[in-house]
Amino acid sequence: MQTAMNAHKREHISTFSRQRRRETLVGYSFVTPAVLLLIFFLVLPFLLAVVFGFTKFNLLRPDKIHFTGFDNYKLLFTDGLFYKSLWNTLYFTIIVVPVQSGVALMLALLVNNSLKLRNVFRIAYFSPVVTSMTVIAILWISLYNPNEGLINSALHFFGISNQPFLRSSSQAMNSIIFMSVWQAAGYQMMIFLAGLQGISKDLYEASSIDGANKLQQLRYITIPSLYNVTVFVLTITTIQAVKLFVQPYIMTNGGPENSTRTLALLIYQQGFQFRNAGYASAISVIFFLIVVLISFSMKKFLRDK
């Protein structure tokens, strides 16, 4: 009898082990494609960039590639254009992240109310997100036209003189920031809206009974309940902001006077326009380290909060 029970127990353990192995293999089969894509399109390019950063590498003469040590990095840290591009990238990020997130939250609060046309407003605010950035950039070039643009026509109506916008080194980056906030706020709005709809209405009803007004409900219920959503929105907005490329590439090509040249645009121009892949790789490595540093700093700051 005891022998039969032991045999049954061993068979049960064996069946359980086979099931665990099968589930493990299924799990690996789902993860493997993503890991391979990550290796081929992120890890491997970064390792190649590290290697090329120590070389003089012309894209049109790959047979002439040769090792130059830290020459690219020495040139990088004495290059005024690199520091100008770094400052432009940080300036854009510092302004866009809070402004765009704040606008998105306000839009989400607006369309979360029981308005008759709230679905129309949701579509209207989200439609720029699904439109190509290239198309939007070309459209806003026309709007920012200093002579015949619609925005200057509106300013002229209020007695304000024509503004140069993209043709001024002091206004070009701010003009791109305004357009970028308008284009992307709808995406963050939808994330905030999903978070708002997950807040229990019982909290608002209980606070109303206690005499709380709308502003107090926003401060003590809505904003604390959206903490995790806000962390996610700030993180993805920051990552998108530091990668700024399309808008300055199409609207200003980095000008005027390098006022809109970002690190991503500088890497592209050095690598593909000037064929200086070694120097572009060195900038890419430093750019990657800066992004990692910003990401970890944000994570630590928001976690401490």
Side-chain angles (χ1 to χ4, degrees), residues 60-93:
L60 297 180
R61 300 298 303 272
D63 55 317
K64 298 293 184 182
I65 184 172
H66 60 275
F67 181 74
T68 58
F70 288 92
D71 287 356
N72 285 327
Y73 291 95
K74 292 178 182 175
L75 175 63
L76 174 66
F77 290 118
T78 58
D79 186 355
L81 189 56
F82 168 75
Y83 290 106
K84 180 66 175 177
S85 303
L86 176 61
W87 164 247
N88 290 336
T89 303
L90 294 177
Y91 178 78
F92 179 85
T93 304

Side-chain angles (χ1 to χ4, degrees), residues 40 71 105 129 143 168 302:
F40 281 107
D71 287 356
L105 177 59
V129 179
L143 294 176
S168 166
L302 294 173

Side-chain angles (χ1 to χ4, degrees), residues 8-148:
H8 178 72
K9 186 177 180 180
R10 285 196 296 272
E11 182 181 356
H12 176 73
I13 294 174
S14 176
T15 303
F16 181 74
S17 299
R18 285 197 299 272
Q19 184 178 356
R20 287 291 302 271
R21 283 198 296 271
R22 192 181 304 115
E23 291 176 352
T24 302
L25 288 175
V26 171
Y28 280 124
S29 67
F30 281 111
V31 171
T32 300
V35 172
L36 291 176
L37 289 174
L38 189 68
I39 292 173
F40 281 107
F41 292 101
L42 185 64
V43 178
L44 186 59
F46 175 70
L47 294 177
L48 290 174
V50 173
V51 174
F52 292 149
F54 295 103
T55 65
K56 183 173 179 57
F57 179 23
N58 189 315
L59 283 180
L60 297 180
R61 300 298 303 272
D63 55 317
K64 298 293 184 182
I65 184 172
H66 60 275
F67 181 74
T68 58
F70 288 92
D71 287 356
N72 285 327
Y73 291 95
K74 292 178 182 175
L75 175 63
L76 174 66
F77 290 118
T78 58
D79 186 355
L81 189 56
F82 168 75
Y83 290 106
K84 180 66 175 177
S85 303
L86 176 61
W87 164 247
N88 290 336
T89 303
L90 294 177
Y91 178 78
F92 179 85
T93 304
I94 291 170
I95 301 298
V96 157
V97 172
V99 173
Q100 188 168 301
S101 301
V103 171
L105 177 59
M106 287 190 291
L107 293 178
L109 292 171
L110 177 65
V111 299
N112 192 46
N113 290 324
S114 301
L115 300 175
K116 289 183 179 179
L117 300 176
R118 62 178 180 178
N119 289 331
V120 175
F121 286 119
R122 290 178 183 180
I123 295 172
Y125 296 144
F126 190 71
S127 57
V129 179
V130 297
T131 306
S132 168
M133 177 56 81
T134 302
V135 175
I136 290 176
I138 294 173
L139 172 65
W140 277 79
I141 289 175
S142 301
L143 294 176
Y144 279 141
N145 188 299
N147 300 317
E148 302 172 351

Side-chain angles (χ1 to χ4, degrees), residues 221-257:
I221 297 177
T222 304
I223 292 178
S225 300
L226 290 176
Y227 177 77
N228 291 330
V229 176
T230 305
V231 170
F232 177 72
V233 168
L234 291 176
T235 303
I236 62 170
T237 307
T238 302
I239 293 172
Q240 292 296 325
V242 296
K243 295 189 301 181
L244 177 66
F245 173 76
V246 177
Q247 297 94 313
Y249 176 69
I250 294 176
M251 300 177 76
T252 61
N253 198 28
E257 300 175 5

